[in-house]
Amino acid sequence: MSRVLGGALAGVDGVPVEVEVRLSAQLPRVDIVGLPEAAVRESAARVRSAIASIGHVFPDRRVTVNLAPAGIRKSSAGLDLPIAVGILAASGALGAEALAGLGLVGELALDGRLRPVRGALPQVLALHAAGCQRIMAPVASGPEVALAPGAPVELAASLSQVVEALVEDRTLPRAERLPPPPAGRLAPDLGVVRGQQAAKRAIEVSAAGGHGLLMRGAPGAGKTLLSRALPGLLPPLQPGEALEVTRIWSAAGLLDPAEPLALERPFRAPHHSATRAGLLGGGTPARPGEVSLAHHGVLFLDELPEFERRALESLRQVLEDGQVVLSRAGLRMAFPARFQLVAAANPCKCGWFRSGVRDCRCDEGALARYDARLSGPLLDRIDVHVHVRPVPFRELSEKSGGEGSAAVAARIAGARERQAQRLARIAPGLRSNAAIPVDVLDEAVAAGSEARALLGRAVQRLGMSARAAHRTMRVARTLADLAGEDAVGAPHMAEAISFRREG
């Protein structure tokens, strides 16, 4: 028998897998047990061909491969390499001492070459956590696995290099991080947007506190352009956040080999035809959806009422919990999904209701049906609502659109720094006002008596729910941070209340 550690994926998390190989004097056959998916069951053919291609003889006996723990489905082709090494060790080509503390990740080609695997980074992280002192991975996965903190990862181009290194007790070249790419934002500059001062203010407040934002307005008013300018206002990812985002994108197979580390916050803009599974994640094997790919970034939903109703309603719990929990028969896994929701919508089906430019062609029934596509509970979870009106031509023809993204981003950075210092004392681990928990909300907001009285009158007159009142308090806290003030005053609360009323 032989034992060696490999890795598999469970959602976006890596799972260490113990590969046990036993040879027995029975009719030649390869049995792989332990809930292997099709990609793992087919590894027998790849492993047999790869071993023969490097000059070794595949055992002419019954080969039983057990993948433990048996209760987790294994779907990663990255188990090819540990299975091949385990078979060679069981047949005597490798000594058992060479496998002590060894972790292997890699897919085999028929000629023995090592191919990169999806989710190499989370699998290497799992092997580190399992106590592996030596980890080997494909050369093509080098820039990605170099991001894993812990022991260096050795890189091999083929099965023969792995076997030679183990036989000769020789160290292979180690993975090294690529230099960071030159700084540069691809987001449009806020200064190119003419007019829209109210919408720009809403964008600034949303970015400063991590609040959800809904912009309604006529077609061509600038809703999409404003939304795409938002990532240029957000602060860069912290090191821990960057590793989380990279791990998720690695599990989804979307990492760029030339720039594996995520340095800027994700911006995901799925089409309105996206299904519920496309937004939340799922499939076999389960992969992260758009909400998880937008983790620590922005999820932009253009034409919000055109999305499938079930898909939109599924976002309600995700916005509250910051994660997606998928429960299927024999499967339960959690995908992180703490994102900033930004949405754009037309005011009606024809798009010209209350535009002041054209007459709306929708009757009252059509207006009611269009509004009914967005449920009250979903709208209640969006902190900032703003109406975007068409810009007159005299403003469009101006040479400048006002402040650029750099000046606005500097104010936002200052507000975020004040939030971080406050939350470090009150709620460690949180970085934005939008995530302040209810049990410490009063202490974090520090609203004056006049501001509280104003909020109380607004709750009664506007029929605000308790959730809406709490979210209004968080927005008021962000407005005070932008103004550099410690206490929330009546002007901050009044402006926050105005964001709860569309138009």
Side-chain angles (χ1 to χ4, degrees):
M1 281 191 62
S2 67
R3 293 183 180 88
V4 65
L5 276 183
L9 278 177
V12 297
D13 298 317
V15 178
V17 176
E18 186 177 34
V19 178
E20 300 176 314
V21 180
R22 181 182 181 87
L23 305 184
S24 55
Q26 299 177 17
L27 291 176
R29 200 174 83 179
V30 178
D31 293 327
I32 301 179
V33 298
L35 286 182
E37 296 285 356
V40 180
R41 291 195 301 269
E42 293 169 354
S43 67
R46 293 192 296 270
V47 168
R48 181 188 295 273
S49 177
I51 289 178
S53 68
I54 65 172
H56 286 264
V57 178
F58 194 86
D60 192 23
R61 290 188 284 173
R62 174 71 61 85
V63 179
T64 304
V65 180
N66 180 43
L67 308 176
I72 299 176
R73 291 190 176 276
K74 290 81 177 180
S75 59
S76 174
L79 288 169
D80 286 3
L81 181 58
I83 290 175
V85 170
I87 291 174
L88 290 173
S91 61
L94 293 173
E97 65 281 355
L99 306 187
L102 178 65
L104 300 169
V105 173
E107 177 185 343
L108 286 172
L110 296 182
D111 59 358
R113 288 177 294 112
L114 283 179
R115 289 175 171 154
V117 297
R118 179 175 65 90
L121 176 59
Q123 292 181 54
V124 167
L125 289 172
L127 292 175
H128 279 313
C132 289
Q133 302 300 315
R134 189 180 188 185
I135 299 176
M136 295 182 180
V139 170
S141 299
E144 177 184 346
V145 299
L147 303 173
V153 180
E154 300 177 34
L155 302 179
S158 63
L159 176 61
S160 62
Q161 287 188 4
V162 173
V163 173
E164 290 172 5
L166 294 176
V167 170
E168 300 171 6
D169 195 18
R170 176 169 48 85
T171 302
L172 293 171
R174 293 177 174 175
E176 296 182 357
R177 293 195 180 192
L178 293 176
R185 304 249 184 191
L186 300 178
D189 193 278
L190 204 61
V192 305
V193 183
R194 304 294 190 265
Q196 303 295 8
Q197 298 307 316
K200 288 181 180 179
R201 175 63 170 173
I203 287 281
E204 180 178 349
V205 173
S206 178
H211 304 288
L213 171 66
L214 172 61
M215 292 182 287
R216 287 194 192 230
K223 303 183 297 295
T224 302
L225 181 59
L226 285 164
S227 301
R228 293 190 178 278
L230 178 60
L233 307 177
L234 297 174
L237 290 168
Q238 299 294 320
E241 294 174 337
L243 188 60
E244 281 188 62
V245 173
T246 304
R247 180 171 60 89
I248 294 171
W249 281 58
S250 173
L254 298 177
L255 278 187
D256 182 358
E259 299 178 7
L261 179 61
L263 298 176
E264 296 187 355
R265 298 186 180 275
F267 182 85
R268 301 293 296 179
H271 191 260
H272 57 74
S273 61
T275 63
R276 183 172 178 269
L279 287 177
L280 299 187
T284 305
R287 296 199 184 193
E290 292 291 339
V291 296
S292 296
L293 295 174
H295 185 58
H296 290 316
V298 176
L299 177 66
F300 175 48
L301 302 182
D302 202 1
E303 304 293 347
L304 185 66
E306 302 298 332
F307 279 81
E308 181 185 287
R309 179 65 178 264
R310 289 180 65 247
L312 290 181
E313 294 305 307
S314 66
L315 295 178
R316 287 158 48 180
Q317 186 175 356
V318 180
L319 289 170
E320 294 287 341
D321 298 341
Q323 65 174 358
V324 177
V325 179
L326 295 181
S327 296
R328 304 287 188 269
L331 171 69
R332 187 181 186 277
M333 59 182 60
F335 295 96
R338 193 164 295 282
F339 58 90
Q340 184 174 351
L341 175 64
V342 178
N346 292 327
C348 63
K349 187 67 176 177
C350 76
W352 300 108
F353 179 63
R354 291 163 50 194
S355 68
V357 177
R358 301 184 189 176
D359 292 333
C360 176
R361 301 189 301 271
C362 304
D363 56 25
E364 292 185 2
L367 290 173
R369 288 191 296 273
Y370 195 78
D371 281 341
R373 296 184 180 185
L374 302 179
S375 68
L378 176 62
L379 295 176
D380 203 39
R381 288 168 167 83
I382 301 177
D383 298 347
V384 179
H385 298 247
V386 65
H387 187 73
V388 183
R389 297 186 180 277
V391 180
F393 179 76
R394 66 178 181 275
E395 294 185 24
L396 288 175
S397 60
E398 293 178 355
K399 293 182 179 181
S400 173
E403 277 189 312
S405 292
V408 179
R411 285 199 301 273
I412 291 172
R416 288 261 185 170
E417 180 61 27
R418 282 187 283 275
Q419 294 173 48
Q421 293 177 1
R422 182 188 312 110
L423 294 174
R425 300 190 306 268
I426 299 174
L430 300 180
R431 292 186 177 273
S432 67
N433 287 334
I436 299 176
V438 175
D439 55 346
V440 297
L441 187 59
D442 290 335
E443 181 182 358
V445 172
S449 57
E450 188 177 353
R452 288 183 171 278
L454 181 61
L455 178 61
R457 293 196 298 272
V459 169
Q460 292 181 349
R461 292 185 59 183
L462 304 180
M464 295 169 61
S465 66
R467 179 190 293 112
H470 291 155
R471 290 182 176 272
T472 302
M473 293 173 66
R474 295 185 181 101
V475 174
R477 177 68 266 173
T478 298
L479 290 165
D481 288 334
L482 282 170
E485 299 181 14
D486 294 330
V488 172
H492 309 130
M493 190 64 73
E495 187 175 0
I497 292 169
S498 72
F499 284 132
R500 296 298 305 185
R501 300 191 62 188
E502 297 180 46

